[in-house]
């Protein structure tokens, strides 16, 4: 989909289509959904888009090269046909967003893109509720979608795409077993078994854009692209191409990066000259050169990381309009104040924090701010206030959502927690405020007296916390009855670099994320007790902490199995403390995270890897994953054996690398 101004910049879409045709067999289906009426046409604007099927022995890089001049101003998605041998599910998905979903900051098109990233997606637009043009409201969602997705992922992964809007939308996901190669033959059977059959929903006169999308989805390449073999180390023989994204960078950041590279070249030249003609008397010069190299490398790293940074105003900009629309629907008066909008955050973190922020602001509007008459009766201004603030603190970005509403009701939360069996009545009175407020993040927990179309179903807050924890962040709540609430989110500046604690178990080195560690201590077997179910607990002052032996989880040989000779790292997982037994504590350092899924395969309990200064590979531990593995150990020996085998293969691959 070219940008509207593509023609004005001298680029010709037809030239690109001709270059594609030169690569292999091509079939085109124009998409005209953005084409205005004849009287509104501007001859220098580009309104057309294309669905293209291209078959032949073609590399993805060849296709990307054709679009490289317009990639920044266009929407381009390139995907390869799934290998015929890969077992896949055919999922039939009927999705109709709530009419007000656009007003809440959610975008259906983004969800469709996420589905397309999961596998082979075909889409049919359902436009029965589309009114006449004169009755259109630009902020309402009228369209629905009937989709077929061929993918190897489970249903839960598809549900994650819609988890932010599931409580305000109509969603049906049904499956029929099949393979990518059998898709055409199985399509009729699968469609007959679904609740929402595309043929039954199709309007009498489908728009031309819908027909174009259907035609493009029906195209099958005559020959599959050659699949690149994966590197040795196991895993799938073929891999779905990785979608790439772009980012606009200010020229000042690029200039700074070029200057840093220039300084690095000068330092390298100086060290090279010293190496060619080295004498012991020139040792001070060598040490000075190495110090300068370290300084230049650190500055270069910081410059590169700044390129990925974007001001958080990109995430904040949607909220003034969203709050205004919600206040009208709920008959409330409120103002939103934004501060710290120029605080910069990594692009990847920014994309993943958007939906949690939307949910938290909606909750503040619906549950936090009172109706005008309630506020005036309580001696407050008639207009409520929500403040979003962002700032840097100790290598993290802190985001605060503050409201001056009614605050959280401690007694109601405790009563609901006792009713749901989360705590006993005896323990309810001894909990601190922070522990009580943290219960609202429990799945299905809600104290709302009435369920509205904005919130109150008890879904979402657990998703908020899970998403923030997945970013190696944390979330805290403080509240005063009658005065308001404050939610504080702490996030790392970037997901590319991690502050880690290196530990040793046997001959292997692992890395704990420093943010997860509470304390480290010497084990004492006299303080260890065994409880029912075979789990050991350690008496840590006035509480008992479950013990996980890391060497058992990964089936490796430690220095000693005697706890008195071992150390324990106490970490936090989902608000609880867990003790992980190791052999030795090593250094603390920043590490560059390398993705396992892109370079090897996903391994439970491991979130990534890094290369240490001596060239060896160290694995970064996924604390929630480690706890989960330890929890199934006594129930599923086969799964534990499979995990140990994956870990063993990974260590062999790391050693060979």
């Amino acid at each position: 989909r070219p940008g509207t101004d593509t023609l004005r910049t001298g680029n010709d879409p037809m030239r690109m289509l001709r270059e594609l045709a030169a690569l292999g067999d091509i079939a085109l289906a124009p998409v005209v959904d953005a084409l205005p009426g004849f009287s509104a046409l501007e001859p220098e604007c580009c309104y057309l888009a294309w669905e293209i099927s291209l078959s032949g022995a073609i590399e993805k890089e060849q296709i990307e090269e054709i679009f490289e001049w317009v990639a920044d101003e266009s929407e381009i998605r390139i995907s390869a046909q799934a290998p015929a041998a890969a077992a896949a599910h055919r999922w039939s998905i009927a999705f109709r967003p709530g009419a007000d979903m656009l007003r809440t900051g959610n975008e259906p098109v983004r969800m469709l893109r996420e589905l397309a990233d999961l596998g082979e997606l075909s889409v049919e637009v359902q436009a029965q509720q589309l009114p006449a043009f004169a009755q259109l409201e630009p902020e309402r969602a009228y369209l629905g979608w009937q989709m077929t997705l061929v993918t190897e992922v489970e249903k839960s992964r598809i549900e994650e795409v819609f988890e932010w809007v599931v409580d305000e939308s109509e969603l049906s996901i049904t499956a029929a077993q099949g393979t990518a190669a059998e898709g055409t033959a199985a399509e009729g059977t699968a469609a007959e078994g679904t609740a929402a059959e595309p043929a039954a929903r199709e309007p009498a006169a489908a728009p031309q854009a819908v027909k174009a999308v259907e035609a493009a989805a029906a195209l099958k390449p005559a020959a599959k692209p050659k699949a690149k073999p994966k590197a040795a180390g196991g895993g799938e023989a073929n891999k779905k191409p990785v979608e790439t994204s772009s980012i606009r960078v200010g020229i000042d950041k690029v200039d700074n990066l070029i200057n840093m590279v220039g300084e690095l070249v000068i330092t390298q030249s100086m060290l090279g000259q010293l190496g060619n003609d080295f004498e012991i008397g020139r040792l001070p010069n060598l040490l000075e050169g190495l110090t300068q190299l370290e300084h230049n490398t650190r500055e270069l790293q910081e410059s590169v990381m700044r390129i990925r940074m974007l001001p958080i105003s990109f995430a904040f900009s949607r909220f003034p309009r969203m709050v205004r629309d919600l206040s009208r629907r709920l008959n409330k008066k409120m103002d939103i104040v934004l501060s710290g909008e120029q605080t910069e955050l990594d692009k990847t973190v920014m994309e993943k924090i958007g939906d949690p922020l939307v949910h938290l602001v909606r909750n503040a509007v619906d549950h936090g701010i009172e109706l005008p008459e309630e506020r005036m009766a309580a001696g407050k201004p008639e207009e409520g206030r929500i403040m979003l603030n962002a700032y840097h603190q100790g290598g993290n970005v802190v985001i605060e959502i503050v409201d001056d509403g009614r605050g959280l009701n401690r007694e109601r939360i405790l009563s609901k927690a006792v009713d749901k069996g989360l705590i006993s009545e005896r323990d309810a009175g001894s909990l601190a405020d922070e522990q009580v407020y943290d219960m609202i993040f429990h799945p299905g927990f809600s104290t709302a007296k009435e369920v509205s179309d904005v919130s109150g179903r008890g879904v979402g807050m657990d998703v908020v916390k899970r998403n923030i924890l997945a970013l190696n962040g944390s979330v805290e709540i403080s509240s005063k009855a009658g005065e308001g609430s404050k939610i504080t989110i702490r996030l790392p500046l970037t997901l590319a670099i991690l502050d880690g604690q290196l530990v040793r178990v046997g001959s292997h080195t692992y890395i704990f994320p420093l943010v997860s560690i509470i304390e480290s201590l010497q084990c004492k077997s006299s303080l260890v007790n065994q409880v029912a179910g075979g789990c050991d607990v350690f008496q840590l002052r006035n509480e008992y902490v479950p013990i996980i032996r890391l060497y058992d989880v990964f089936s490796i040989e430690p220095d000693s199995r005697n706890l008195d000779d071992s150390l324990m790292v106490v970490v936090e997982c989902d608000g609880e403390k867990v003790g992980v037994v190791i052999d030795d504590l090593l250094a603390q350092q920043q590490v560059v995270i390398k993705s396992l899924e892109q370079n090897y395969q996903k391994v439970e309990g491991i979130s990534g890897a890094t290369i240490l200064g001596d060239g060896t590979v160290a694995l970064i531990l996924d604390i929630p994953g480690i706890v989960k593995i330890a929890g199934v150990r006594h129930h599923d020996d086969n799964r534990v054996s499979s995990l140990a085998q994956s870990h063993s293969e990974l260590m062999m691959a790391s050693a060979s690398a």
Side-chain angles (χ1 to χ4, degrees), residues 589 610-618 653-657:
Q589 67 180 61
T610 190
I611 301 174
L612 301 179
D614 60 359
T616 59
V617 176
S654 300
S656 62

Side-chain angles (χ1 to χ4, degrees), residues 159-194:
E159 291 173 337
E160 282 183 19
V161 174
F162 299 99
E163 62 187 353
W164 295 107
V165 298
V166 69
D167 55 343
E168 61 191 32
S169 307
E170 297 177 20
L171 177 65
S172 170
I173 305 173
T174 54
Q177 190 69 31
T179 66
E182 296 165 354
T184 305
E187 187 170 20
T189 306
E192 291 173 6
T194 59

Side-chain angles (χ1 to χ4, degrees), residues 208-229:
Q208 188 174 354
V210 177
K211 293 181 179 179
V213 173
E214 291 174 350
L219 293 172
K220 301 289 182 183
K224 300 175 183 61
K226 289 183 180 179
K228 294 182 181 180

Side-chain angles (χ1 to χ4, degrees), residues 125-424:
V125 179
Q126 306 293 336
Q128 294 92 329
Q129 296 185 1
L130 192 66
F133 185 79
Q135 298 174 330
L136 276 174
E137 294 184 31
E139 294 182 354
R140 290 179 68 86
Y142 298 102
L143 298 180
W145 289 272
Q146 178 66 40
M147 296 164 278
T148 301
L149 177 64
V150 180
T151 180
E152 300 174 44
V153 303
E154 298 298 325
K155 183 179 179 181
S156 59
R157 181 65 185 87
I158 302 174
E159 291 173 337
E160 282 183 19
V161 174
F162 299 99
E163 62 187 353
W164 295 107
V165 298
V166 69
D167 55 343
E168 61 191 32
S169 307
E170 297 177 20
L171 177 65
S172 170
I173 305 173
T174 54
Q177 190 69 31
T179 66
E182 296 165 354
T184 305
E187 187 170 20
T189 306
E192 291 173 6
T194 59
E197 186 175 348
R201 287 177 171 257
E202 186 176 359
Q208 188 174 354
V210 177
K211 293 181 179 179
V213 173
E214 291 174 350
L219 293 172
K220 301 289 182 183
K224 300 175 183 61
K226 289 183 180 179
K228 294 182 181 180
K230 290 190 69 176
E236 302 167 2
N238 297 305
K239 224 178 148 183
K240 184 182 174 182
V242 178
E243 295 290 339
T244 58
S245 59
S246 60
I247 183 172
R248 292 184 180 273
V249 180
I251 192 66
D252 57 325
K253 293 182 178 180
V254 176
D255 289 343
N256 189 44
L257 184 61
I258 292 173
N259 289 337
M260 286 298 101
V261 172
E263 294 289 334
L264 199 62
V265 170
I266 293 172
T267 305
Q268 183 270 336
S269 176
M270 181 182 69
L271 290 174
Q273 188 174 0
L274 280 171
N276 292 333
D277 187 21
F278 183 74
E279 298 175 357
I280 194 64
R282 305 185 69 182
L283 184 59
N285 293 341
L286 176 60
L287 295 177
E288 181 184 351
L290 291 174
T291 301
Q292 187 174 339
L293 176 63
E294 180 184 359
H295 175 75
N296 290 342
T297 305
R298 184 168 60 250
E299 286 199 3
L300 181 62
Q301 174 190 321
E302 292 173 356
S303 296
V304 172
M305 297 312 302
R306 279 196 292 270
I307 284 180
R308 291 182 55 88
M309 296 293 181
L310 293 174
I312 204 168
S313 58
F314 282 89
F316 279 5
S317 59
R318 70 174 76 175
F319 293 117
R321 185 174 187 171
M322 188 187 86
V323 169
R324 183 196 67 201
D325 291 339
L326 287 176
S327 63
R328 288 177 180 172
R329 289 171 56 194
L330 299 171
N331 297 318
K332 296 180 178 180
K333 295 183 178 180
M334 64 187 71
D335 183 32
I336 182 169
V337 178
L338 306 179
S339 59
E341 296 173 85
Q342 296 308 310
T343 302
E344 289 191 326
L345 190 61
D346 186 277
K347 175 178 180 287
T348 304
V349 180
M350 183 94 67
E351 291 171 349
K352 294 183 179 180
I353 198 60
D355 286 337
L357 286 178
V358 167
H359 197 89
L360 292 172
V361 172
R362 289 175 66 188
N363 264 9
V365 173
D366 192 21
H367 296 308
I369 304 296
E370 311 97 327
L371 291 168
E373 52 269 22
E374 292 181 44
R375 293 182 61 84
M376 295 183 70
K380 295 182 178 181
E382 186 180 23
E383 185 177 72
R385 187 184 189 192
I386 294 177
M387 184 177 76
L388 268 68
N389 183 28
Y391 56 90
H392 287 145
Q393 184 184 72
N396 292 313
V397 170
V398 180
I399 303 173
E400 295 176 341
I401 302 101
V402 185
D403 68 76
D404 65 348
R406 60 174 61 93
L408 295 176
N409 190 320
R410 176 189 169 97
E411 299 306 319
R412 187 184 296 173
I413 294 174
L414 284 174
S415 175
K416 191 75 174 181
V418 172
D419 292 343
K420 293 178 70 69
L422 299 179
I423 57 172
S424 65

